């Protein structure tokens, strides 16, 4: 699957832009602040329904405008073209797949699998479990089609249970059997993913960083209990704090080096390599399991990697053989070979070169 065409309106500094991207390598170059990252954000929005720079869609809308719109034409594995649309106003977002509203973000992910490596990627290692859960679930969505439905129903049941905890705590336990059943399924799917990932991970982290970092899956409740037992055991605490403490919404992947949290031991640069390795390993696994290759957006990859690290990074990315869209400050950037298409961005205006 790959992005064939992109149309962007009213996104940050981009008033209007249209570009045809290559199924291989596309280069977007321009000065700082010209709008390169904004174009990658537009592509990411199509497959994810959110930006990788902000959780607040309103910030993406061009100042003085009341909505933004992105349209993408996706070439599917069988060669058909499918149109995806994303629109945001300050208070709403709508994603469309071939003209009809997407049912969930997961459905969008399947319509256009897209991943990004950008200067903030170290946050995958440094910050809380939320990012790692999202990272993991994006992959599980692709590998296990049934996961989407389970995940949506779990999220709904969890919301209802939390609402009950606030209003009438005695009602909350009515949700426990359903929550426990769905939660166990989610945990099993994630566990399968992390287990399958291991050989890819060991390869990628060794090649990229040379560090002995391990990824250890934590499912979100105690080891020797079922989820139903954990929910029962934490009922008093749940009622006191009005939230559900046990369950896959509290899962994490512990990133550890010699038994200690990587975020406490590694430099920012090392964390970045570890996060890149997580992402490369994930993409390889998806390629092997699903025969589709996600599109990879690389935002200014040369900026923070030097010499040998950059060479290792390039070798890993090149071996993925996926659609690549790369930004650079330099028109002659040839890090990933000769681009099939190049665009120059000047103050939000995009010109093919
Ligand atoms: N909501 C907005 N409306 C208009 N301009 C914006 C908005 N948000 C950011 N910008 C401007 O858009 C530009 C964003 O460029 P960016 O895509 O980050 O550039 P690059 O990646 O090429 O350095 C900046 O100049 C910024 O000031
Ligand atoms: Mg940028």
């Amino acid at each position: 699957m790959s992005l064939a065409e992109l149309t962007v309106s009213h996104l940050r500094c981009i008033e209007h832009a249209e570009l045809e991207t290559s199924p291989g390598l596309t280069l977007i170059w321009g000065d700082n602040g010209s709008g390169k990252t904004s174009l990658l954000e537009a592509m990411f929005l199509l497959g994810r329904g959110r930006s990788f720079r902000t959780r607040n869609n309103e910030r993406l809308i061009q100042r003085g405008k009341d909505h933004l719109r992105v349209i993408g034409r996706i070439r599917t594995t069988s060669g058909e073209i499918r149109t995806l649309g994303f629109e945001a106003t300050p208070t709403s977002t709508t994603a469309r797949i071939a003209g009809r509203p997407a049912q969930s973000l997961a459905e969008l992910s399947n319509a256009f699998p897209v991943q990004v490596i950008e200067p903030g990627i170290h946050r995958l290692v440094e910050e809380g479990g939320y990012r790692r859960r999202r990272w993991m679930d994006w992959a599980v969505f692709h590998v296990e089609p049934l996961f989407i439905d389970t995940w949506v129903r779990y999220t709904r049941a969890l919301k209802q249970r939390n609402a009950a905890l606030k209003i009438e705590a005695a009602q909350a336990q009515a949700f426990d059997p359903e929550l426990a059943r769905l939660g166990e399924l989610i945990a099993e799917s994630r566990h399968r993913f992390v287990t399958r990932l291991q050989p890819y991970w060991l390869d990628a982290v060794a090649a990229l960083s040379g560090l002995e970092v391990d990824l250890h899956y934590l499912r979100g409740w105690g080891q020797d209990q079922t989820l139903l037992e954990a929910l029962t055991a934490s009922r008093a605490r749940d009622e006191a704090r009005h939230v559900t403490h046990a369950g896959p919404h509290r899962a994490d992947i512990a990133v550890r080096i010699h038994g200690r949290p990587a975020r406490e031991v590694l430099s920012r640069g090392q964390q970045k390599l570890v996060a890149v390795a997580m992402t490369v390993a994930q993409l390889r696994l998806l390629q092997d399991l699903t025969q589709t290759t996600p599109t990879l957006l690389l935002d200014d990859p040369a900026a923070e990697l030097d010499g040998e690290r950059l060479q290792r990074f390039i070798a890993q990315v090149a071996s993925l053989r996926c659609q690549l869209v790369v930004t650079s400050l330099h028109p002659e950037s040839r890090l990933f070979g000769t681009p099939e298409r190049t665009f120059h961005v000047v103050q939000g205006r995009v010109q093919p070169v």
Side-chain angles (χ1 to χ4, degrees), residues 58-76:
E58 195 175 350
R59 302 227 177 104
L60 301 172
I61 301 172
Q62 189 170 35
R63 269 188 295 277
K65 299 294 193 304
D66 58 8
H67 74 285
L68 73 83
R69 183 179 295 143
V70 184
I71 295 168
R73 316 252 294 157
I74 308 297
R75 186 170 291 111
T76 65

Side-chain angles (χ1 to χ4, degrees), residues 36-37 53 299:
K36 303 182 296 297
T37 304
R53 279 206 285 198
D299 197 13

